[in-house]
């Protein structure tokens, strides 16, 4: 699927799309959300991975969108608690370099987190590593 992203002239190919699963809330957080608001899943995090960037959107009342360029990613870590492993979900921590500071982005409650992290890693290998024959300076 190729989609033209508004504001850019290049076509980006969406490789993976996901949302924070309902299972990631846990029983206590789910009950609290139902009692307080009645709308526990409206502000879930949405993740889209294209061949150029990682797009994170979250929020219901206030929408936040964060774009992380693939070539700026420095590290990808998968975290899974026992509860998350039983349900087949997990969190992915993406560390990126924005300017001179390092940012940390947490992709919460994604299904099959190892596959998602491997997709990000493969994209980073294609984007950030130099292509062609290696040049040496002597």
């Amino acid at each position: 699927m190729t989609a033209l992203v508004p504001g850019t002239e290049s076509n980006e190919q969406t490789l993976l799309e996901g949302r924070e699963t309902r299972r990631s809330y846990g029983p206590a957080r789910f009950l609290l959300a139902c009692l307080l608001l009645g709308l526990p899943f409206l502000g879930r995090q949405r993740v889209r991975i294209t061949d150029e960037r990682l797009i994170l959107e979250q929020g219901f009342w206030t929408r936040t969108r964060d774009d992380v360029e693939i070539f700026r990613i420095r590290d990808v870590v998968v975290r899974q608690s026992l509860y998350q492993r039983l349900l087949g979900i997990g969190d992915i921590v993406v560390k990126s370099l924005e300017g001179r500071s390092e940012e940390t982005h947490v992709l919460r409650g994604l299904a099959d987190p190892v596959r998602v992290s491997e997709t990000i890693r493969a994209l980073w290998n294609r984007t950030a590593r130099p292509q062609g024959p290696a040049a040496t300076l002597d």
Side-chain angles (χ1 to χ4, degrees), residues 94-132:
V94 177
K95 297 177 184 176
S96 66
L97 195 60
E98 297 291 331
R100 292 185 178 198
S101 63
E102 186 173 287
E103 288 186 356
T104 303
H105 308 276
V106 180
L107 315 176
R108 295 184 313 267
L110 293 178
D112 198 2
V114 174
R115 181 178 62 90
V116 175
S117 70
E118 286 298 318
T119 302
I120 294 170
R121 184 184 151 284
L123 280 171
W124 182 83
N125 280 333
R126 271 191 287 174
T127 306
R129 292 203 175 176
Q131 302 295 320

Side-chain angles (χ1 to χ4, degrees), residues 28-122:
R29 191 170 162 198
F30 172 76
L31 288 174
L32 182 65
C34 286
L35 290 174
L36 293 178
L37 190 56
L39 306 170
F41 306 118
L42 291 177
R44 289 188 299 170
Q45 185 180 58
R46 287 161 292 288
V47 177
R48 194 168 86 208
I49 301 173
T50 69
D51 54 352
E52 294 180 14
R53 59 190 165 163
L54 185 66
I55 302 168
L56 310 170
E57 294 178 335
Q58 61 187 8
F60 177 69
W61 300 113
T62 303
R63 174 76 59 150
T64 303
R65 177 182 163 147
D66 196 1
D67 292 355
V68 181
E69 298 292 332
I70 295 293
F71 70 89
R72 294 189 184 275
I73 292 176
R74 295 293 172 242
D75 192 20
V76 179
V77 178
V78 176
R79 282 192 319 213
Q80 285 183 295
S81 66
L82 178 61
Y83 174 74
Q84 288 176 325
R85 281 183 297 187
L86 291 173
L87 295 176
I89 61 175
D91 299 338
I92 299 174
V93 180
V94 177
K95 297 177 184 176
S96 66
L97 195 60
E98 297 291 331
R100 292 185 178 198
S101 63
E102 186 173 287
E103 288 186 356
T104 303
H105 308 276
V106 180
L107 315 176
R108 295 184 313 267
L110 293 178
D112 198 2
V114 174
R115 181 178 62 90
V116 175
S117 70
E118 286 298 318
T119 302
I120 294 170
R121 184 184 151 284

